[in-house]
Amino acid sequence: MADRTLRVCALYPDLMNIYADRGNMLMLERRCGWRGIGFELTAASLGDAVDPGAHDLFYLGGGQDRDQQLCAQDLYDTKRDALHAAAARGAVVLGICGGIQLLGDHYELGDETVPGIGLVDLVTKRAIDGSRLIGNVAIEVELEGLDGPRVLAGFENHGGRTMLGAGERPLGKVLKGHGNDGRSGFEGVIKGNVIGTYLHGPLLPKNAWFADWLLATSLGLAPGDLAPLDDALEDAAHASARRAAGL
Ligand code: GLN
């Protein structure tokens, strides 16, 4: 493993980073380090071009409506083509909360519509009454390379309601919480290696198994190829997040 390096590109880490999204990067860094896998983190913010071949995982965290409005057009103008090319060659693209919204077609906020980059077929609309979907959440997911369904636990807080296009597959089934729109019973989206979810928390420290799945998938490995770690603390964090969600 020592000759491998996980190359991560954090998109707008200065604008899209609420609810401890930075912890997700730290989690990947540590789990690589503990296994002797290199870790390279590059930031791409307003105006920065992105090299589609230079990264294994592209990360777009959560953001307030205001911050999303600041970066949505830039994402569309300066990074859209590169992210499509990266996804087409199998790189992982992970969008969290504000991030999932910008991976879709567009986000309607009252009179204004901000563009998404159309990596997945979904649209998001802010609720007319401004109500938010807030709380601890747990979803059941089935991912390639794993032996059965697993639980992702986290925290959601979004005013937007996300509707998936007819052909699009959700990331998981809501066990507790609201999910994409508070009604469908589904959460997130997964299309190839493009993944979107509303789960913050931060997501990865609460779900070490998912951090490893992302790490492995980004490197073109199976999750079982990664050396096991002592996950006593991580398992406790996961159990606590599940309990918080009422599972
Ligand atoms: N601003 C978006 C919304 O409220 C996303 C929020 C977030 O990333 N937590 O729907």
Side-chain angles (χ1 to χ4, degrees):
M1 288 286 164
D3 54 339
R4 289 184 187 269
T5 295
L6 179 70
R7 303 166 307 162
V8 178
C9 179
L11 299 160
Y12 311 98
D14 46 345
L15 293 169
M16 302 288 284
N17 62 11
I18 54 176
Y19 294 120
D21 283 332
R22 281 194 197 98
N24 291 327
M25 298 296 98
L26 276 175
M27 181 76 173
L28 291 172
E29 181 180 3
R30 296 291 150 81
R31 294 184 81 78
C32 283
W34 288 331
R35 294 184 167 109
I37 300 172
F39 182 82
E40 230 177 69
L41 182 61
T42 306
S45 196
L46 295 173
D48 297 334
V50 158
D51 177 350
H55 311 284
D56 311 302
L57 169 60
F58 293 83
Y59 179 82
L60 184 57
Q64 312 284 3
D65 288 351
R66 182 173 27 92
D67 295 326
Q68 285 176 277
Q69 282 160 305
L70 283 175
C71 66
Q73 193 64 47
D74 183 84
L75 183 69
Y76 188 90
D77 291 339
T78 70
K79 300 170 181 63
R80 178 180 177 277
D81 292 348
L83 290 169
H84 276 262
R89 68 165 184 81
V92 172
V93 181
L94 174 64
I96 310 236
C97 202
I100 182 180
Q101 297 173 343
L102 297 184
L103 295 184
D105 187 72
H106 63 266
Y107 178 23
E108 288 174 30
L109 309 101
D111 293 339
E112 204 190 335
T113 297
V114 299
I117 55 170
L119 269 180
V120 280
D121 179 18
L122 61 83
V123 295
T124 303
K125 298 182 187 189
R126 189 161 66 186
I128 296 165
D129 63 2
S131 60
R132 304 188 67 81
L133 303 178
I134 304 176
N136 291 295
V137 47
I139 66 172
E140 183 176 86
V141 303
E142 288 192 56
L143 295 172
E144 210 182 303
L146 299 176
D147 45 12
R150 301 279 180 104
V151 170
L152 275 178
F155 177 78
E156 62 183 328
N157 180 354
H158 47 113
R161 307 316 197 243
T162 292
M163 278 73 64
L164 303 189
E168 224 56 288
R169 177 183 155 203
L171 174 62
K173 209 169 65 187
V174 175
L175 301 173
K176 296 282 180 184
H178 302 287
N180 285 344
D181 60 1
R183 292 184 316 196
S184 65
F186 292 119
E187 206 291 317
V189 69
I190 179 162
K191 179 181 188 181
N193 287 346
V194 178
I195 298 160
T197 176
Y198 273 107
L199 273 63
H200 291 280
L203 173 70
L204 302 186
K206 288 183 174 176
N207 301 280
W209 71 265
F210 187 59
D212 280 355
W213 185 88
L214 283 174
L215 204 171
T217 304
S218 301
L219 292 176
L221 301 170
D225 295 337
L226 296 177
L229 297 172
D230 172 4
D231 276 338
L233 280 175
E234 289 78 359
D235 291 346
H238 181 69
S240 154
R242 288 171 73 124
R243 271 197 307 278
L247 201 65

